[in-house]
């Protein structure tokens, strides 16, 4: 899994606490173990991506196990990923990558996210007393910081995917697994916010008919869940619903003791041609 320089696209070589390319562009390795490869001129804001509050809420909610059945489905689909190189696109705070590493301890796992706060949290994830991720970088899914044909598999859970960039870093025959919301996902939460429920949109359409990928199939999994206590507001905060929820309704949701809602995911698989 060779990192590439975001300035000149040459390979980056690690030297003590830095990465350096043949053109002498240099990038520090943070004490947590990640590298920031998102150049200032490529940022659309000072702190792009999900903010620290959203990341903290996501971490707290996911650690409660409400999405464990999604983890189980992902692990089964990966079908023995030991000794493979895996890329977690939009890794956020590292929940899914960490879970995959727990099941496949010999896998070489890399993760990227545009949110520096999320990558910092992911760097703290441990598996068998070692970092869960072999490499972590602050970077965009539209400019993946790796040399070509580095990965056997890429996984994206509720994160954007750029087909040309993902194809570039996957080996021929490599697999891409994308998780997005199915029709009823968080219907109970949405109905407490809006007068009319509108399903989430997913990002699968960007892959349909793309010449670099063959669609292998799709699976929908769904469970009814009762979310309790502080987890209800954490769930709201980690979703796009938060930005369109009034302060009054946020306060009402924060006071709820329970929330019943379907959790529904669509998992689509593609092969790199």
């Amino acid at each position: 899994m060779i990192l590439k320089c975001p300035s000149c696209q040459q390979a980056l070589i690690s030297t003590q606490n830095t990465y350096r390319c043949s053109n002498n562009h240099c990038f520090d390795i943070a004490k947590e173990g990640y590298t920031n490869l998102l150049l200032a001129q490529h940022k659309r804001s000072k702190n792009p991506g999900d903010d620290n509050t959203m990341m903290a809420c996501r971490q707290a909610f996911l650690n409660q196990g409400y999405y464990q059945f999604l983890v189980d489905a992902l692990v089964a689909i990966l079908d023995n990923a030991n000794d493979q190189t895996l890329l977690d696109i939009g890794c956020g705070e590292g929940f899914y990558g960490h879970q995959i590493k727990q099941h496949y301890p010999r896998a070489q796992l890399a993760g990227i996210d545009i949110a520096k706060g999320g990558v910092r949290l992911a760097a703290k994830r441990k598996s068998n007393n070692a970092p869960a991720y072999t490499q972590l970088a602050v970077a965009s899914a539209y400019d993946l910081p790796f040399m070509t044909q580095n990965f056997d598999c890429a996984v994206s859970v509720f994160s954007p995917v750029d087909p040309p960039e993902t194809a570039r870093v996957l080996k021929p025959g490599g697999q891409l697994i994308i998780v997005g919301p199915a029709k009823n996902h968080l219907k109970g939460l949405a109905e407490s916010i809006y007068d009319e429920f509108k399903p989430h949109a997913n990002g699968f359409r960007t892959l349909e008919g793309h010449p670099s990928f063959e669609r292998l199939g799709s699976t929908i999994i769904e469970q009814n869940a009762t979310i309790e206590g502080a987890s209800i507001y954490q769930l709201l905060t980690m979703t796009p619903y938060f930005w369109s929820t009034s302060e009054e309704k946020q306060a009402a949701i924060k006071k709820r003791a329970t929330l019943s809602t379907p959790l529904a995911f669509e998992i689509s698989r593609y092969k790199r041609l």
Side-chain angles (χ1 to χ4, degrees), residues 18-19 46 49 68 111 115 127 135 165:
T18 63
Y19 280 102
K46 184 178 180 181
Q68 185 60 44
S127 179
Q135 287 182 331
E165 266 297 272

Side-chain angles (χ1 to χ4, degrees), residues 10-184:
Q10 298 301 306
L12 288 171
I13 307 299
S14 61
T15 56
Q16 295 183 338
N17 295 323
T18 63
Y19 280 102
R20 192 180 300 272
C21 72
S22 58
N23 290 319
N24 213 32
H25 298 122
C26 186
F27 303 89
D28 292 336
I29 301 174
K31 63 180 180 180
E32 295 89 350
Y34 69 89
T35 307
N36 191 342
L37 297 176
L38 186 63
L39 300 179
Q41 60 267 34
H42 295 161
K43 294 182 181 180
R44 294 185 178 180
S45 63
K46 184 178 180 181
N47 295 302
D50 294 339
D51 63 27
N52 291 343
T53 299
M54 183 175 284
M55 285 291 179
C57 285
R58 181 178 303 159
Q59 184 177 56
F61 177 85
L62 292 175
N63 284 346
Q64 294 301 310
Y66 291 107
Y67 283 13
Q68 185 60 44
F69 75 107
L70 171 58
V71 171
D72 295 341
L74 274 174
V75 168
I77 287 171
L78 282 168
D79 189 23
N80 194 9
N82 274 322
D83 304 315
Q84 291 191 352
T85 50
L86 307 179
L87 174 60
D88 187 358
I89 301 175
C91 66
E93 42 69 56
F95 175 78
Y96 296 103
H98 177 246
Q99 294 292 319
I100 291 169
K101 183 71 171 181
Q102 292 284 83
H103 285 84
Y104 299 115
R106 296 197 309 274
Q108 297 294 303
L109 179 65
I112 68 99
D113 200 285
I114 201 170
K116 184 177 178 179
V119 174
R120 185 184 293 114
L121 289 173
K124 297 178 181 179
R125 295 274 190 180
K126 302 294 182 183
S127 179
N128 296 320
N129 296 318
Y133 289 86
T134 306
Q135 287 182 331
L136 274 168
V138 180
S140 169
Y142 299 91
D143 185 16
L144 294 170
F146 299 96
M147 303 301 285
T148 60
Q149 298 185 14
N150 264 214
F151 295 97
D152 298 298
C153 181
V155 178
S156 172
V157 182
F158 282 78
S159 295
V161 169
D162 182 65
E165 266 297 272
T166 307
R168 182 184 65 78
V169 301
L170 279 173
K171 300 173 184 177
Q175 187 172 198
L176 170 61
I177 301 171
I178 301 180
V179 179
K183 181 179 179 181
N184 289 326

Side-chain angles (χ1 to χ4, degrees), residues 213-264:
F213 289 97
E214 174 189 351
R215 191 170 185 271
L216 299 178
S218 181
T219 302
I220 293 177
I221 59 173
E222 182 171 338
Q223 283 188 2
N224 290 320
T226 299
I227 315 299
E228 299 181 342
S231 294
I232 302 170
Y233 188 72
Q234 291 164 357
L235 175 61
L236 171 66
T237 306
M238 70 183 240
T239 70
Y241 290 138
F242 180 79
W243 306 112
S244 57
T245 304
S246 68
E247 291 185 6
E248 181 181 2
K249 288 186 176 180
Q250 285 183 31
I253 290 171
K254 209 168 190 177
K255 293 177 181 178
R256 292 188 65 159
T258 62
L259 171 74
S260 296
T261 184
L263 306 175

Side-chain angles (χ1 to χ4, degrees), residues 168-220:
R168 182 184 65 78
V169 301
L170 279 173
K171 300 173 184 177
Q175 187 172 198
L176 170 61
I177 301 171
I178 301 180
V179 179
K183 181 179 179 181
N184 289 326
H185 186 54
L186 301 183
K187 184 177 181 181
L189 177 63
E191 287 178 340
S192 66
I193 301 170
Y194 306 111
D195 295 331
E196 180 182 357
F197 169 65
K198 293 182 180 180
H200 282 278
N202 61 47
F204 302 134
R205 63 184 181 277
T206 62
L207 270 294
E208 298 305 323
H210 194 277
S212 294
F213 289 97
E214 174 189 351
R215 191 170 185 271
L216 299 178
S218 181
T219 302
I220 293 177

